[in-house]
Amino acid sequence: MKSAVENLNPTRVRLTVEVPFEELKDSLDAAYKKINQQVTVKGFRKGKIPARVIDQRFGRGAVLEEAVNDALPKFYTDAVNEAELNVLGQPEVDITELKDGETLNFTAEVDVRPAIEIPDYSGIEVEVDAVEVTDEDVDKAVTELRERFASTSPVERAAEDGDVVTIDLEAKVDGEVLEDGIASGVSYTIGSGELLDGIDDAVKGVEAGGEATFASELKGGSAAGKEAEVTVKVTQVAKRELPELDDDFAQLASEFDTLEELRADSRKRLENMKQYDQATQAQERVLEKLLELVEVPVPEKLLEDEINTRKHNLEHHQLGQMGLDLEKYLEIQGKTAEEFDTETKDAAVKGIKTQFVLDELVNKEKLNVNQEELTEHLMRRAASSGMSPDQFAQAVVEGGQVPMLVGEVARGKALAVVVEAATVKDTNGEVVELDDDEDETAETAETAEAAETAVEQADEAGTEAEEK
């Protein structure tokens, strides 16, 4: 077999392959054997029909077609390996010449990963938000904790803001009560915004036993997005009572003995959260700068597939779970279809470029993934998917997705290398040391997670290229 490679553009090649006919012998034998098992000829036992009889009865062309279909994948793979190509997706194969007993010639056009040159990234500088926790932030955190320990007691008066009401609901569309539009004994805190638009104004001023009717657009269910006439009946009004903000509350709501200790702990927790947000912000901004430094051609077919995958996932999974269609979603977002298409394409391009660049960094820096890192990553992904680690691991193995997870961790480590080399300052002009008070494993986990975010959850965006 002889093969040659022609570069059509930075992301696509054409392989020209010439195969001497004798190299088709194994595939021809397999073709005769397969046809033997599928057909019957009077006078011959099944599976014992001579090749010349098959040629006479069914045509030599049928045998050649079966043999070529069997042989092409192997010859194509051999040509790819010989040329050391990193191919993406399936090839477009064209048989240019097939002469019985002489030769098989074919071409195969296929997308390939572009050659990427990673420049010196040590000069990257980014600015991130400073970690600042105010007394007001602490007050808010303690108040939220206090509200979690609030108690309620029924009152004989009209409902007010902050009260907890028990209500029955009935929704009608075009005068007809919806099958899924009835709910009883619903507990609702006035002002929380957790139910229908307009319900707060409807129930305020209503006592137990009273009812009100209001119009609202339904957020979910069989009539999601439609205007409904909703009748709400108040069966109980209860006042929320917050515990006193003192040492007794601290002992009730935490492991601390005093309110001062509780507030100090709240401050520390807020600082940790903001430090994590700061680290994630740094990683995202460093990645943006890195992508600006690298020229990354994007294969057209891969981009088209990625855009279609994103749209499919949004329409048939995310929006479906919310009871919305794309048109309603765009209306809520205040976007036109053209704006949505542009944003989807831009995100897909960024996802593909991110994977290509980080994968090249993995190779350049010779980064490896150990079992501990992979296990940490698997457990984090399992938690985000709502599955147990064992269930998630089984699904990953059965789906052949282990290389995908390894790639995600490796990209996270590649991003960590660039972040470590970059200069990160906060809005106060102070240099930020992102690895302070963090061990290596924690840092790897954070950067891996940031890398996944950057490629729009690598199992969708970047993975499209990896799977191909």
Side-chain angles (χ1 to χ4, degrees):
M1 184 193 82
K2 294 192 303 181
S3 64
V5 180
E6 176 187 357
N7 293 313
L8 302 178
N9 61 48
T11 63
R12 194 165 180 83
V13 300
R14 178 187 292 123
L15 284 164
T16 300
V17 184
E18 298 179 8
V19 183
F21 204 79
E22 57 267 22
E23 293 188 31
L24 283 172
K25 182 179 183 307
D26 289 344
S27 293
L28 279 169
D29 291 343
Y32 279 116
K33 184 175 181 180
K34 182 176 180 179
I35 294 174
N36 241 307
Q37 299 299 322
Q38 295 175 338
V39 301
T40 57
V41 175
K42 189 175 181 180
F44 295 94
R45 286 182 296 165
K46 195 174 185 66
K48 300 296 183 180
I49 308 170
R52 59 179 177 77
V53 175
I54 291 177
D55 290 345
Q56 292 170 356
R57 296 291 297 270
F58 305 102
R60 173 71 168 177
V63 179
L64 288 175
E65 181 179 357
E66 181 67 37
V68 169
N69 288 339
D70 175 74
L72 274 179
K74 176 184 180 302
F75 292 130
Y76 165 74
T77 300
D78 289 346
V80 167
N81 292 337
E82 183 179 296
E84 298 182 342
L85 298 176
N86 196 340
V87 299
L88 301 167
Q90 297 301 314
E92 296 179 5
V93 177
D94 181 28
I95 298 175
T96 56
E97 185 176 23
L98 176 58
K99 289 185 178 180
D100 194 358
E102 296 183 27
T103 187
L104 163 65
N105 297 335
F106 68 92
T107 61
E109 289 190 16
V110 66
D111 286 335
V112 294
R113 280 186 180 244
I116 298 175
E117 180 131 356
I118 304 293
D120 179 15
Y121 47 78
S122 61
I124 290 178
E125 294 186 12
V126 297
E127 184 181 75
V128 296
D129 295 335
V131 173
E132 296 175 344
V133 177
T134 66
D135 290 341
E136 289 74 16
D137 293 331
V138 177
D139 289 342
K140 182 180 177 182
V142 173
T143 297
E144 290 175 352
L145 180 62
R146 188 182 176 202
E147 289 178 346
R148 285 167 50 190
F149 285 84
S151 59
T152 59
S153 56
V155 293
E156 298 293 332
R157 61 165 172 77
E160 300 174 356
D161 262 328
D163 285 344
V164 178
V165 291
T166 304
I167 55 178
D168 297 334
L169 295 166
E170 180 183 85
K172 293 181 181 179
V173 173
D174 298 329
E176 296 291 331
V177 178
L178 301 172
E179 288 186 8
D180 55 355
I182 299 175
S184 300
V186 177
S187 180
Y188 175 66
T189 301
I190 300 175
S192 67
E194 296 174 350
L195 278 178
L196 299 168
D197 293 338
I199 193 170
D200 289 334
D201 291 335
V203 297
K204 278 191 292 189
V206 178
E207 298 183 18
E211 63 178 50
T213 300
F214 64 100
S216 183
E217 184 178 293
L218 299 178
K219 296 180 180 179
S222 61
K226 293 185 178 180
E227 190 80 7
E229 179 184 86
V230 182
T231 299
V232 54
K233 181 177 180 181
V234 178
T235 60
Q236 179 179 277
V237 178
K239 180 181 179 180
R240 296 179 77 246
E241 297 177 345
L242 299 178
E244 289 295 325
L245 204 53
D246 52 22
D247 291 347
D248 288 339
F249 167 70
Q251 295 167 24
L252 170 69
S254 70
E255 70 272 28
F256 301 106
D257 293 326
T258 67
L259 182 60
E260 183 179 350
E261 290 175 324
L262 173 60
R263 289 180 61 85
D265 180 70
S266 296
R267 184 180 295 276
K268 182 61 177 177
R269 289 175 184 271
L270 289 171
E271 287 175 351
N272 290 340
M273 289 172 58
K274 290 197 174 188
Q275 285 171 352
Y276 179 83
D277 291 342
Q278 185 187 66
T280 301
Q281 190 179 65
Q283 291 154 357
E284 291 172 350
R285 292 182 179 180
V286 167
L287 180 58
E288 291 279 359
K289 291 281 190 180
L290 177 63
L291 293 180
E292 291 174 5
L293 294 176
V294 186
E295 185 68 30
V296 186
V298 176
E300 291 184 9
K301 182 63 169 62
L302 180 63
L303 177 58
E304 179 185 344
D305 290 346
E306 177 60 24
I307 290 172
N308 291 335
T309 296
R310 286 169 177 263
K311 288 183 175 180
H312 177 85
N313 288 341
L314 176 64
E315 290 189 61
H316 299 280
H317 297 293
Q318 299 170 40
L319 296 184
Q321 293 176 355
M322 295 186 288
L324 298 175
D325 58 18
L326 183 58
E327 182 179 353
K328 187 61 183 177
Y329 168 76
L330 293 179
E331 181 183 329
I332 294 172
Q333 294 291 314
K335 297 177 183 176
T336 65
E338 290 74 19
E339 289 171 335
F340 169 74
D341 287 342
T342 298
E343 289 181 4
T344 302
K345 180 179 179 180
D346 290 346
V349 168
K350 181 182 177 182
I352 293 170
K353 285 185 174 181
T354 295
Q355 178 166 322
F356 285 171
V357 170
L358 293 182
D359 283 348
E360 185 62 29
L361 268 167
V362 169
N363 295 330
K364 180 180 179 179
E365 302 294 343
K366 296 180 172 57
L367 302 175
N368 296 311
V369 176
N370 61 41
Q371 186 61 48
E372 183 181 358
E373 292 165 339
L374 182 60
T375 300
E376 285 269 343
H377 184 62
L378 185 148
M379 293 181 68
R380 186 171 58 256
R381 287 291 303 273
S384 65
S385 70
M387 301 171 67
S388 72
D390 287 344
Q391 289 174 324
F392 187 80
Q394 183 178 354
V396 166
V397 172
E398 291 178 352
Q401 300 298 302
V402 173
M404 179 194 76
L405 290 188
V406 172
E408 289 174 4
V409 178
R411 290 181 205 110
K413 296 181 72 171
L415 180 55
V417 170
V418 184
V419 172
E420 185 178 354
T423 299
V424 181
K425 293 183 178 181
D426 65 20
T427 48
N428 294 328
E430 300 291 331
V431 174
V432 176
E433 299 293 341
L434 296 175
D435 57 349
D436 280 354
D437 300 323
E438 293 178 347
D439 62 24
E440 185 177 351
T441 300
E443 183 180 350
T444 299
E446 286 189 7
T447 50
E449 189 172 351
E452 292 161 39
T453 301
V455 296
E456 296 298 319
Q457 297 180 336
D459 56 325
E460 296 177 4
T463 309
E464 184 75 28
E466 186 174 4
E467 289 177 343
K468 296 183 175 182

